[in-house]
Amino acid sequence: MRNFLLKLTAFFWLLLPVSLLPVYAEENNKYSNKDPKIFYTELQGRNDTGQGVYDGSEKDNNDERTVEKGTHEGLKAVISPGSAKRMGIVIEEAVSANVSQKISLTGRITINQNAIADVHGRFSGIVRNVEVNLGEHVQKGQILATVEANDSLQEYNVVAPISGVILERNTNIGDLVGEHPIFVIADLSNVWAKFHVFLRDSDRVQIGQNIAVYNLERDKTAPGKIDMFYPTTDEKSQTQVVIVVLPNPERAWKPGMIIEGDVSVAKSDVDVSVKEKALQKMEKFGDVVFVKEGKFFIPKAVKIGRKENGTVEIIKGLKAGDLYVSDGSFIVKSDILKATASH
């Protein structure tokens, strides 16, 4: 009896694959025409219940930030509106504008020569007392020193003729007062910005033109106007010197400081302009602006022209009405460069 049961069990095991063969064939045929990677992903993505699960072996189609090959200018990025908003990416239209033509100048802050005073004693004599020190701020009429006159042997006060800063103190107690100034005072509440203009540009720079004055770091700026020309040419640089009188209430512009300036010499209409901060540089393209076409952000090589107050003329590469990344262009560039480096 036992041998009969063993033989019967073996017989059923032999029949089992045959009975299930159509089911396996149907399941195998389900994936026979699919891409091998997808087939692998679906098989590996089955959980214990037989349901499909994503295991990370393929790209998520709902990823909000992807980069793929473009059709004409290399790579193009896909960034969802939600991601763009979170990252501070702003889209604007390229528009026409009225842009100034500018000439860039270099120069230096100097003391306003109309606001400086040499202080002398009225009579020759001996200095009996000195009330102020170098660099000290003084007010008009303030006593600076006391001198005993040689003729009368009487003391008199030397007072400040203007308010300002003591730039020079050329005396001490016991010194003789003579023809040389014993103090020099400068009013630094306004200063001169002296700029050098090359002779080739001198006909285009005129009194009254607007100029933006900057320090070398460009973190300090002040508007001004061309106030005067020096009557002679600078012998060493062979340039013409122009003067801009700058208000300096906080003493931020210090004499000796090297400066730059942009003079507006003409204004004209341009057909296409974008914000200057939209510009990025990319290898092989040079200056680029990221244009939005559908869901894509595409780098477009551009030729730039005049610049003014954060606006730049686009001579070639864009047309008016194109949507471009005005803020956050560096983020788009970074996404593309990261993808390029990973491939």
Side-chain angles (χ1 to χ4, degrees):
M1 184 66 174
R2 179 181 179 186
N3 289 336
F4 173 76
L5 291 175
L6 289 173
K7 290 179 180 180
L8 183 62
T9 302
F11 176 75
F12 278 105
W13 274 107
L14 290 173
L15 293 179
L16 181 61
V18 177
S19 63
L20 295 179
L21 182 58
V23 176
Y24 173 78
E26 180 181 356
E27 183 72 13
N28 186 51
N29 188 58
K30 174 181 177 183
Y31 296 104
S32 61
N33 295 325
K34 292 200 172 187
D35 183 273
K37 291 183 180 179
I38 299 177
F39 172 64
Y40 174 80
T41 301
E42 292 195 26
L43 289 183
Q44 295 297 319
R46 295 296 181 91
N47 61 16
D48 293 339
T49 65
Q51 295 176 329
V53 294
Y54 176 66
D55 68 350
S57 60
E58 286 290 311
K59 182 170 181 57
D60 184 356
N61 291 330
N62 294 321
D63 190 1
E64 293 180 318
R65 297 170 65 184
T66 61
V67 177
E68 58 187 70
K69 285 290 184 181
T71 57
H72 52 288
E73 292 191 281
L75 296 170
K76 51 187 180 181
V78 179
I79 302 176
S80 72
S83 290
K85 184 177 181 180
R86 286 194 298 274
M87 292 185 291
I89 295 174
V90 178
I91 308 299
E92 294 187 27
E93 283 190 5
V95 295
S96 59
N98 188 263
V99 179
S100 294
Q101 186 174 357
K102 296 183 178 181
I103 296 176
S104 295
L105 307 175
T106 57
R108 191 181 298 270
I109 296 294
T110 68
I111 295 170
N112 183 339
Q113 295 299 309
N114 297 327
I116 191 169
D118 292 338
V119 183
H120 298 262
R122 288 177 296 165
F123 310 104
S124 61
I126 299 175
V127 176
R128 295 304 184 187
N129 193 32
V130 179
E131 302 285 346
V132 294
N133 292 310
L134 185 68
E136 188 173 331
H137 290 267
V138 296
Q139 299 296 319
K140 182 178 179 179
Q142 181 177 333
I143 296 174
L144 306 179
T146 302
V147 178
E148 181 184 284
N150 290 334
D151 294 340
S152 64
L153 300 181
Q154 292 183 344
E155 294 184 351
Y156 67 90
N157 293 326
V158 178
V159 299
I162 63 172
S163 298
V165 177
I166 302 294
L167 291 185
E168 295 181 22
R169 171 183 153 167
N170 300 318
T171 192
N172 288 299
I173 295 175
D175 286 350
L176 292 176
V177 172
E179 60 183 13
H180 299 293
I182 55 179
F183 299 100
V184 176
I185 302 174
D187 180 4
L188 300 181
S189 62
N190 62 77
V191 293
W192 280 0
K194 294 176 65 174
F195 290 102
H196 295 269
V197 181
F198 289 106
L199 295 181
R200 66 173 180 268
D201 296 324
S202 59
D203 291 340
R204 303 167 65 195
V205 178
Q206 301 175 5
I207 291 177
Q209 287 175 332
N210 293 324
I211 182 170
V213 182
Y214 307 92
N215 63 349
L216 287 182
E217 292 76 21
R218 294 243 165 183
D219 59 0
K220 192 189 307 297
T221 182
K225 291 182 180 293
I226 304 293
D227 290 297
M228 67 183 83
F229 285 85
Y230 258 42
T232 59
T233 299
D234 183 83
E235 293 182 1
K236 294 182 179 179
S237 63
Q238 287 298 295
T239 57
Q240 188 165 7
V241 177
V242 297
I243 304 296
V244 178
V245 180
L246 284 183
N248 193 32
E250 297 180 359
R251 311 301 191 267
W253 301 99
K254 300 184 182 302
M257 182 184 293
I258 297 176
I259 53 174
E260 297 175 336
D262 292 330
V263 184
S264 299
V265 296
K267 273 188 171 289
S268 59
D269 293 328
V270 299
D271 295 330
V272 185
S273 70
V274 299
K275 288 185 176 179
E276 188 173 357
K277 58 186 175 181
L279 293 173
Q280 294 292 331
K281 287 191 178 292
M282 294 186 71
E283 190 177 356
K284 298 181 181 179
F285 298 133
D287 291 313
V288 300
V289 172
F290 293 99
V291 175
K292 190 175 189 303
E293 295 184 1
K295 66 178 182 178
F296 297 112
F297 292 88
I298 303 172
K300 291 286 189 76
V302 295
K303 181 179 179 181
I304 63 174
R306 290 159 286 186
K307 299 178 182 179
E308 181 184 25
N309 299 329
T311 298
V312 59
E313 175 189 13
I314 302 298
I315 299 174
K316 184 179 179 181
L318 296 181
K319 62 182 184 298
D322 283 346
L323 298 178
Y324 74 97
V325 178
S326 61
D327 290 89
S329 59
F330 182 76
I331 298 173
V332 181
K333 174 185 174 181
S334 297
D335 269 14
I336 290 178
L337 292 181
K338 286 177 185 177
T340 304
S342 64
H343 289 320

